[in-house]
Amino acid sequence: MKGLILVGGYGTRLRPLTLTLPKPLVEFGNKPMILHQVESLAAAGVTDIVLAVNYRPEIMVAALKKYEEAYNIKITFSVETEPLGTAGPLKLASEVLQKDDSPFFVLNSDIICDYPFQQLLEFHRSHGGEATVVATKVDEPSKYGVIVHKPNTIGQIDRFVEKPVEFVGNRINAGIYILNPAVVDRIELRPTSIEKETFPGLAKDGQLYSFDLEGYWMDVGQPKDFLSGTCLYLSSLTKKNSPLLTSASEDYVHGGNVLIDPTATIGKHCRIGPNVTIGPNVVIGDGVRLQRCVILKGSTVKDHAWIKSSIVGWNSTVGRWARLEGVTVLGDDVTVADEVYVNGGSVLPHKTITSNIETPSIIM
């Protein structure tokens, strides 16, 4: 089995974090985003993984080489000299994807869910078509391209309706696919969209099916969705009684869904939770309140600080009695002074904030 992960470009939506690391290496749930996908692909029997990249590939190569031995897989980097969209990278990697007759998985690097690769493979083989799209249900389908099925079929896709005015369904493309190698022959080596060009042709030929995703799903490519996805991921761990989570019996855990690296230090009289991730070597002072937030590796949160709906970047410092909220994101090595209030600030790396930021702003 083979898999291709569309890593893409500059990760601009997740800045300032992606000014320090490529998006797939930013920690989600205390491990690089892309490792969630590599682990799940390997568990489903995938032995060859292609990463389609066009930005800072050398950093990705160095970081991911160690996963090859750990998961008994081969990782190949397919480097685009120009952005090729969501279909072009498949053609560029055709040597790997078409080396045998087995189908291959394709997924976007910033999708987080309970990856159903094994069930997806079984469904794909059962219907005999060339391609299967994973579908997820949404509450407001008018914001998306909606899947419309052919009547009296099990998952056969008829067409896609972009941002429908009238209700035609509530299932959308979840950014995960399984394709037969023959699909690559339908793609030209140029910037092209699998959603707008390849899939409509497959649907017209009766070769495209959908598979319903159970459980949570989120595109975590921007800060507010990164935080929402973290909540969904932690809730999923809770439902599975995962040993990764910090026990709710700890006196500082409030509301559950708390993930703390064993190397982190927690002060006295803290209230942490719900939905908090604390990374390696983080130091949390006394009386700190954390809720719906992510504190990345090596950061310090000083006594009585209050952080909600925010991401604290690596090696940053939040001062005593400081308050962060409103989807504030601190880049790498940012210092927020004592008693400073930040609401919706996006702070670039290596900055010091000494006065209040009361409205959403980019701090350069």
Side-chain angles (χ1 to χ4, degrees):
M1 290 292 295
K2 302 152 292 190
L4 182 140
I5 303 175
L6 295 164
V7 173
Y10 302 106
T12 53
R13 296 184 302 154
L14 199 56
R15 287 178 177 171
L17 299 177
T18 48
L19 295 172
T20 300
L21 280 179
K23 181 173 58 178
L25 298 183
V26 174
E27 296 95 330
F28 179 91
N30 277 351
K31 60 186 175 185
M33 275 191 217
I34 202 162
L35 184 52
H36 291 268
Q37 297 158 350
V38 168
E39 285 180 342
S40 297
L41 286 168
V46 171
T47 54
D48 286 276
I49 297 177
V50 179
L51 299 185
V53 298
N54 59 39
Y55 173 62
R56 302 176 80 177
E58 69 286 350
I59 297 177
M60 297 284 291
V61 171
L64 294 180
K65 275 297 176 185
K66 61 179 179 288
Y67 298 149
E68 289 190 314
E69 186 175 342
Y71 296 98
N72 194 29
I73 55 176
K74 178 176 176 55
I75 297 177
T76 304
F77 289 82
S78 180
V79 181
E80 304 166 32
T81 54
E82 63 171 330
L84 292 174
T86 53
L90 278 67
K91 192 68 170 184
L92 189 63
S94 61
E95 185 175 339
V96 175
L97 301 180
Q98 293 187 299
K99 71 176 186 177
D100 57 39
D101 293 334
S102 66
F104 59 89
F105 298 105
V106 179
L107 60 157
N108 295 322
S109 67
D110 41 18
I111 297 299
I112 291 291
C113 64
D114 280 328
Y115 304 102
F117 293 127
Q118 194 60 51
Q119 302 95 308
L120 178 58
L121 174 61
E122 292 169 5
F123 175 75
H124 179 73
R125 285 176 170 161
S126 73
H127 65 64
E130 289 187 21
T132 306
V133 175
V134 174
T136 186
K137 295 178 183 177
V138 293
D139 294 330
E140 297 184 52
S142 60
K143 294 181 178 180
Y144 304 93
V146 175
I147 295 169
V148 178
H149 293 100
K150 288 187 177 180
N152 305 314
T153 65
I154 300 176
Q156 189 173 4
I157 296 175
D158 180 57
R159 66 190 190 281
F160 298 87
V161 179
E162 191 65 30
K163 298 181 179 178
V165 177
E166 297 181 354
F167 183 84
V168 294
N170 63 350
R171 288 173 174 82
I172 66 167
N173 177 353
I176 302 172
Y177 323 117
I178 184 168
L179 312 174
N180 289 350
V183 172
V184 178
D185 294 330
R186 295 173 175 261
I187 300 169
E188 297 178 11
L189 186 55
R190 58 176 175 83
T192 178
S193 166
I194 197 169
E195 299 87 356
K196 295 179 180 178
E197 297 183 57
T198 311
F199 286 162
L202 285 161
K204 183 179 178 181
D205 293 343
Q207 295 294 322
L208 187 63
Y209 289 75
S210 76
F211 172 88
D212 281 350
L213 176 68
E214 302 296 333
Y216 75 98
W217 174 89
M218 183 63 66
D219 175 340
V220 295
Q222 55 186 328
K224 68 181 181 65
D225 295 332
F226 189 98
L227 289 167
S228 296
T230 297
C231 297
L232 293 172
Y233 173 67
L234 294 175
S235 295
S236 175
L237 292 182
T238 296
K239 290 176 184 176
K240 297 173 184 175
N241 295 314
S242 172
L244 295 173
L245 291 176
T246 304
S247 173
S249 64
E250 294 284 356
D251 60 1
Y252 54 78
V253 173
H254 287 259
N257 291 4
V258 174
L259 177 62
I260 301 177
D261 187 90
T263 62
T265 303
I266 309 298
K268 302 173 185 175
H269 312 302
C270 293
R271 290 174 62 92
I272 299 175
N275 300 311
V276 173
T277 301
I278 296 175
N281 302 312
V282 168
V283 177
I284 305 295
D286 296 340
V288 168
R289 179 70 175 101
L290 304 176
Q291 182 179 356
R292 199 178 185 271
C293 63
V294 175
I295 315 295
L296 292 174
K297 180 179 179 179
S299 292
T300 298
V301 181
K302 294 187 176 180
D303 298 351
H304 308 293
W306 194 97
I307 302 175
K308 180 179 180 182
S309 294
S310 297
I311 303 170
V312 175
W314 311 271
N315 311 304
S316 292
T317 300
V318 179
R320 293 175 177 83
W321 297 100
R323 179 171 178 139
L324 311 182
E325 63 182 359
V327 196
T328 287
V329 185
L330 307 185
D332 181 24
D333 183 35
V334 167
T335 298
V336 177
D338 295 350
E339 301 181 26
V340 165
Y341 171 64
V342 183
N343 176 29
S346 181
V347 186
L348 271 61
H350 315 300
K351 302 296 180 184
T352 297
I353 306 301
T354 56
S355 56
N356 291 350
I357 301 170
E358 298 186 2
T359 57
S361 310
I362 298 174
I363 313 304
M364 314 234 352

Short mmCIF file of all heavy atoms in Angstrom, two decimals, residues 215-253:
data_model
loop_
_atom_site.label_atom_id
_atom_site.label_comp_id
_atom_site.label_asym_id
_atom_site.label_seq_id
_atom_site.Cartn_x
_atom_site.Cartn_y
_atom_site.Cartn_z
N GLY A 215 -17.29 10.10 13.48
CA GLY A 215 -16.46 10.81 14.46
C GLY A 215 -16.08 12.20 14.00
O GLY A 215 -16.64 12.77 13.07
N TYR A 216 -15.06 12.75 14.66
CA TYR A 216 -14.71 14.16 14.46
C TYR A 216 -13.89 14.37 13.20
O TYR A 216 -13.27 13.44 12.66
CB TYR A 216 -13.95 14.69 15.68
CG TYR A 216 -12.52 14.22 15.78
CD1 TYR A 216 -11.48 15.03 15.34
CD2 TYR A 216 -12.20 12.98 16.33
CE1 TYR A 216 -10.16 14.61 15.42
CE2 TYR A 216 -10.88 12.56 16.43
CZ TYR A 216 -9.87 13.38 15.97
OH TYR A 216 -8.57 12.97 16.05
N TRP A 217 -13.88 15.61 12.71
CA TRP A 217 -13.09 16.01 11.55
C TRP A 217 -12.85 17.51 11.63
O TRP A 217 -13.74 18.28 12.00
CB TRP A 217 -13.85 15.68 10.25
CG TRP A 217 -13.20 16.18 9.00
CD1 TRP A 217 -12.28 15.51 8.24
CD2 TRP A 217 -13.39 17.45 8.35
NE1 TRP A 217 -11.89 16.28 7.16
CE2 TRP A 217 -12.57 17.47 7.20
CE3 TRP A 217 -14.19 18.56 8.63
CZ2 TRP A 217 -12.51 18.56 6.33
CZ3 TRP A 217 -14.14 19.66 7.77
CH2 TRP A 217 -13.30 19.65 6.63
N MET A 218 -11.64 17.93 11.29
CA MET A 218 -11.35 19.37 11.28
C MET A 218 -10.14 19.65 10.41
O MET A 218 -9.14 18.92 10.45
CB MET A 218 -11.08 19.87 12.71
CG MET A 218 -10.83 21.37 12.82
SD MET A 218 -12.22 22.42 12.31
CE MET A 218 -13.43 22.02 13.57
N ASP A 219 -10.24 20.71 9.62
CA ASP A 219 -9.10 21.27 8.91
C ASP A 219 -8.45 22.25 9.88
O ASP A 219 -9.05 23.29 10.21
CB ASP A 219 -9.58 21.99 7.65
CG ASP A 219 -8.47 22.71 6.90
OD1 ASP A 219 -7.42 22.99 7.50
OD2 ASP A 219 -8.65 23.02 5.72
N VAL A 220 -7.25 21.93 10.38
CA VAL A 220 -6.63 22.73 11.44
C VAL A 220 -5.59 23.70 10.88
O VAL A 220 -4.63 24.04 11.56
CB VAL A 220 -6.02 21.82 12.52
CG1 VAL A 220 -7.10 21.03 13.23
CG2 VAL A 220 -4.97 20.87 11.93
N GLY A 221 -5.81 24.17 9.66
CA GLY A 221 -4.82 25.01 9.00
C GLY A 221 -4.80 26.46 9.40
O GLY A 221 -3.96 27.22 8.92
N GLN A 222 -5.72 26.90 10.27
CA GLN A 222 -5.66 28.27 10.78
C GLN A 222 -5.94 28.25 12.29
O GLN A 222 -6.54 27.30 12.80
CB GLN A 222 -6.64 29.16 10.05
CG GLN A 222 -8.07 28.71 10.03
CD GLN A 222 -8.92 29.59 9.14
OE1 GLN A 222 -8.68 30.78 9.00
NE2 GLN A 222 -9.95 29.01 8.54
N PRO A 223 -5.49 29.28 13.03
CA PRO A 223 -5.50 29.21 14.49
C PRO A 223 -6.85 28.87 15.14
O PRO A 223 -6.91 28.03 16.04
CB PRO A 223 -5.02 30.60 14.91
CG PRO A 223 -4.10 31.01 13.80
CD PRO A 223 -4.75 30.48 12.55
N LYS A 224 -7.93 29.51 14.70
CA LYS A 224 -9.21 29.23 15.37
C LYS A 224 -9.64 27.78 15.17
O LYS A 224 -10.20 27.15 16.08
CB LYS A 224 -10.30 30.20 14.90
CG LYS A 224 -10.75 30.06 13.46
CD LYS A 224 -11.81 31.09 13.11
CE LYS A 224 -12.30 30.94 11.68
NZ LYS A 224 -13.02 29.67 11.43
N ASP A 225 -9.36 27.24 13.98
CA ASP A 225 -9.69 25.84 13.71
C ASP A 225 -8.69 24.89 14.37
O ASP A 225 -9.05 23.77 14.74
CB ASP A 225 -9.74 25.59 12.21
CG ASP A 225 -10.86 26.36 11.53
OD1 ASP A 225 -11.88 26.63 12.21
OD2 ASP A 225 -10.73 26.70 10.35
N PHE A 226 -7.46 25.33 14.52
CA PHE A 226 -6.45 24.55 15.25
C PHE A 226 -6.92 24.34 16.69
O PHE A 226 -6.84 23.23 17.22
CB PHE A 226 -5.12 25.30 15.23
CG PHE A 226 -3.94 24.54 15.76
CD1 PHE A 226 -3.08 23.89 14.90
CD2 PHE A 226 -3.69 24.49 17.12
CE1 PHE A 226 -1.97 23.18 15.39
CE2 PHE A 226 -2.59 23.80 17.62
CZ PHE A 226 -1.73 23.14 16.75
N LEU A 227 -7.46 25.38 17.29
CA LEU A 227 -7.98 25.27 18.66
C LEU A 227 -9.24 24.41 18.72
O LEU A 227 -9.39 23.56 19.60
CB LEU A 227 -8.25 26.66 19.24
CG LEU A 227 -6.99 27.49 19.55
CD1 LEU A 227 -7.36 28.95 19.82
CD2 LEU A 227 -6.25 26.91 20.76
N SER A 228 -10.15 24.61 17.76
CA SER A 228 -11.36 23.78 17.72
C SER A 228 -11.00 22.31 17.49
O SER A 228 -11.57 21.41 18.13
CB SER A 228 -12.30 24.26 16.60
OG SER A 228 -12.76 25.57 16.86
N GLY A 229 -10.05 22.07 16.59
CA GLY A 229 -9.61 20.70 16.33
C GLY A 229 -8.96 20.07 17.54
O GLY A 229 -9.12 18.87 17.80
N THR A 230 -8.22 20.88 18.32
CA THR A 230 -7.62 20.37 19.55
C THR A 230 -8.70 19.89 20.52
O THR A 230 -8.57 18.83 21.14
CB THR A 230 -6.75 21.46 20.20
OG1 THR A 230 -5.67 21.79 19.33
CG2 THR A 230 -6.19 21.00 21.54
N CYS A 231 -9.77 20.67 20.64
CA CYS A 231 -10.88 20.27 21.52
C CYS A 231 -11.47 18.94 21.05
O CYS A 231 -11.74 18.04 21.88
CB CYS A 231 -11.97 21.34 21.53
SG CYS A 231 -11.45 22.93 22.21
N LEU A 232 -11.69 18.79 19.74
CA LEU A 232 -12.26 17.55 19.20
C LEU A 232 -11.32 16.37 19.43
O LEU A 232 -11.75 15.27 19.79
CB LEU A 232 -12.55 17.71 17.71
CG LEU A 232 -13.65 18.72 17.34
CD1 LEU A 232 -13.67 18.92 15.83
CD2 LEU A 232 -15.01 18.24 17.83
N TYR A 233 -10.03 16.60 19.21
CA TYR A 233 -9.04 15.54 19.39
C TYR A 233 -8.97 15.09 20.84
O TYR A 233 -8.96 13.89 21.14
CB TYR A 233 -7.67 16.04 18.91
CG TYR A 233 -6.52 15.12 19.20
CD1 TYR A 233 -6.42 13.88 18.57
CD2 TYR A 233 -5.53 15.48 20.11
CE1 TYR A 233 -5.35 13.03 18.82
CE2 TYR A 233 -4.46 14.63 20.37
CZ TYR A 233 -4.38 13.41 19.74
OH TYR A 233 -3.33 12.57 20.01
N LEU A 234 -8.93 16.05 21.77
CA LEU A 234 -8.86 15.70 23.19
C LEU A 234 -10.13 14.99 23.65
O LEU A 234 -10.07 14.04 24.44
CB LEU A 234 -8.62 16.96 24.02
CG LEU A 234 -7.26 17.65 23.80
CD1 LEU A 234 -7.20 18.96 24.59
CD2 LEU A 234 -6.10 16.74 24.19
N SER A 235 -11.28 15.42 23.13
CA SER A 235 -12.54 14.74 23.47
C SER A 235 -12.52 13.30 22.96
O SER A 235 -13.02 12.38 23.64
CB SER A 235 -13.74 15.49 22.87
OG SER A 235 -13.88 16.77 23.45
N SER A 236 -11.93 13.10 21.78
CA SER A 236 -11.82 11.75 21.23
C SER A 236 -10.93 10.88 22.11
O SER A 236 -11.25 9.71 22.37
CB SER A 236 -11.26 11.81 19.81
OG SER A 236 -11.03 10.52 19.29
N LEU A 237 -9.83 11.44 22.60
CA LEU A 237 -8.96 10.69 23.52
C LEU A 237 -9.70 10.33 24.80
O LEU A 237 -9.52 9.23 25.34
CB LEU A 237 -7.71 11.51 23.85
CG LEU A 237 -6.70 11.76 22.72
CD1 LEU A 237 -5.51 12.54 23.24
CD2 LEU A 237 -6.23 10.45 22.09
N THR A 238 -10.53 11.25 25.28
CA THR A 238 -11.30 10.98 26.50
C THR A 238 -12.27 9.82 26.28
O THR A 238 -12.39 8.92 27.12
CB THR A 238 -12.08 12.24 26.93
OG1 THR A 238 -11.14 13.27 27.28
CG2 THR A 238 -12.96 11.96 28.13
N LYS A 239 -12.94 9.82 25.13
CA LYS A 239 -13.89 8.73 24.83
C LYS A 239 -13.19 7.38 24.75
O LYS A 239 -13.78 6.35 25.06
CB LYS A 239 -14.61 9.02 23.51
CG LYS A 239 -15.60 10.18 23.59
CD LYS A 239 -16.20 10.47 22.22
CE LYS A 239 -17.11 11.68 22.29
NZ LYS A 239 -17.63 12.05 20.94
N LYS A 240 -11.92 7.40 24.35
CA LYS A 240 -11.15 6.15 24.23
C LYS A 240 -10.43 5.80 25.53
O LYS A 240 -9.68 4.81 25.57
CB LYS A 240 -10.11 6.30 23.12
CG LYS A 240 -10.69 6.52 21.74
CD LYS A 240 -9.58 6.81 20.74
CE LYS A 240 -10.14 7.13 19.37
NZ LYS A 240 -9.07 7.54 18.42
N ASN A 241 -10.64 6.61 26.58
CA ASN A 241 -9.91 6.41 27.85
C ASN A 241 -8.40 6.35 27.62
O ASN A 241 -7.70 5.49 28.18
CB ASN A 241 -10.40 5.15 28.56
CG ASN A 241 -11.84 5.25 29.01
OD1 ASN A 241 -12.24 6.26 29.58
ND2 ASN A 241 -12.63 4.22 28.73
N SER A 242 -7.90 7.25 26.80
CA SER A 242 -6.50 7.22 26.43
C SER A 242 -5.59 7.51 27.63
O SER A 242 -5.83 8.46 28.39
CB SER A 242 -6.22 8.27 25.35
OG SER A 242 -4.82 8.38 25.13
N PRO A 243 -4.54 6.70 27.79
CA PRO A 243 -3.58 6.96 28.88
C PRO A 243 -2.73 8.21 28.64
O PRO A 243 -2.01 8.65 29.54
CB PRO A 243 -2.70 5.70 28.87
CG PRO A 243 -2.80 5.17 27.46
CD PRO A 243 -4.18 5.50 27.01
N LEU A 244 -2.82 8.79 27.44
CA LEU A 244 -2.07 10.02 27.16
C LEU A 244 -2.59 11.19 27.98
O LEU A 244 -1.83 12.12 28.30
CB LEU A 244 -2.17 10.36 25.67
CG LEU A 244 -1.54 9.39 24.68
CD1 LEU A 244 -1.88 9.81 23.25
CD2 LEU A 244 -0.03 9.32 24.88
N LEU A 245 -3.87 11.17 28.31
CA LEU A 245 -4.47 12.30 29.01
C LEU A 245 -4.08 12.33 30.48
O LEU A 245 -3.89 11.29 31.11
CB LEU A 245 -6.00 12.25 28.89
CG LEU A 245 -6.58 12.49 27.50
CD1 LEU A 245 -8.08 12.31 27.52
CD2 LEU A 245 -6.23 13.89 27.00
N THR A 246 -3.97 13.54 31.01
CA THR A 246 -3.72 13.71 32.43
C THR A 246 -4.97 13.33 33.22
O THR A 246 -6.08 13.72 32.84
CB THR A 246 -3.32 15.17 32.73
OG1 THR A 246 -2.18 15.51 31.93
CG2 THR A 246 -2.99 15.37 34.20
N SER A 247 -4.79 12.59 34.27
CA SER A 247 -5.93 12.10 35.06
C SER A 247 -6.75 13.26 35.62
O SER A 247 -6.20 14.25 36.13
CB SER A 247 -5.43 11.22 36.21
OG SER A 247 -6.50 10.88 37.07
N ALA A 248 -8.06 13.11 35.53
CA ALA A 248 -8.97 14.13 36.09
C ALA A 248 -8.90 14.18 37.60
O ALA A 248 -9.41 15.12 38.22
CB ALA A 248 -10.40 13.84 35.64
N SER A 249 -8.23 13.20 38.21
CA SER A 249 -8.09 13.21 39.68
C SER A 249 -7.04 14.20 40.16
O SER A 249 -6.98 14.52 41.35
CB SER A 249 -7.74 11.80 40.16
OG SER A 249 -6.47 11.40 39.66
N GLU A 250 -6.19 14.67 39.24
CA GLU A 250 -5.22 15.71 39.63
C GLU A 250 -5.97 16.96 40.06
O GLU A 250 -6.90 17.41 39.38
CB GLU A 250 -4.29 16.04 38.46
CG GLU A 250 -3.37 14.91 38.05
CD GLU A 250 -2.20 14.72 39.00
OE1 GLU A 250 -2.07 15.51 39.95
OE2 GLU A 250 -1.44 13.76 38.80
N ASP A 251 -5.56 17.55 41.16
CA ASP A 251 -6.35 18.67 41.72
C ASP A 251 -6.37 19.90 40.83
O ASP A 251 -7.25 20.75 40.95
CB ASP A 251 -5.86 19.03 43.13
CG ASP A 251 -4.40 19.46 43.18
OD1 ASP A 251 -3.76 19.51 42.11
OD2 ASP A 251 -3.91 19.76 44.28
N TYR A 252 -5.41 20.02 39.91
CA TYR A 252 -5.39 21.20 39.03
C TYR A 252 -6.19 21.00 37.75
O TYR A 252 -6.36 21.95 36.97
CB TYR A 252 -3.95 21.59 38.68
CG TYR A 252 -3.11 20.49 38.09
CD1 TYR A 252 -3.24 20.11 36.76
CD2 TYR A 252 -2.17 19.82 38.88
CE1 TYR A 252 -2.47 19.10 36.22
CE2 TYR A 252 -1.39 18.79 38.35
CZ TYR A 252 -1.54 18.44 37.02
OH TYR A 252 -0.78 17.43 36.49
N VAL A 253 -6.68 19.79 37.48
CA VAL A 253 -7.45 19.52 36.26
C VAL A 253 -8.91 19.87 36.49
O VAL A 253 -9.55 19.35 37.40
CB VAL A 253 -7.31 18.05 35.82
CG1 VAL A 253 -8.25 17.75 34.65
CG2 VAL A 253 -5.87 17.75 35.41
#
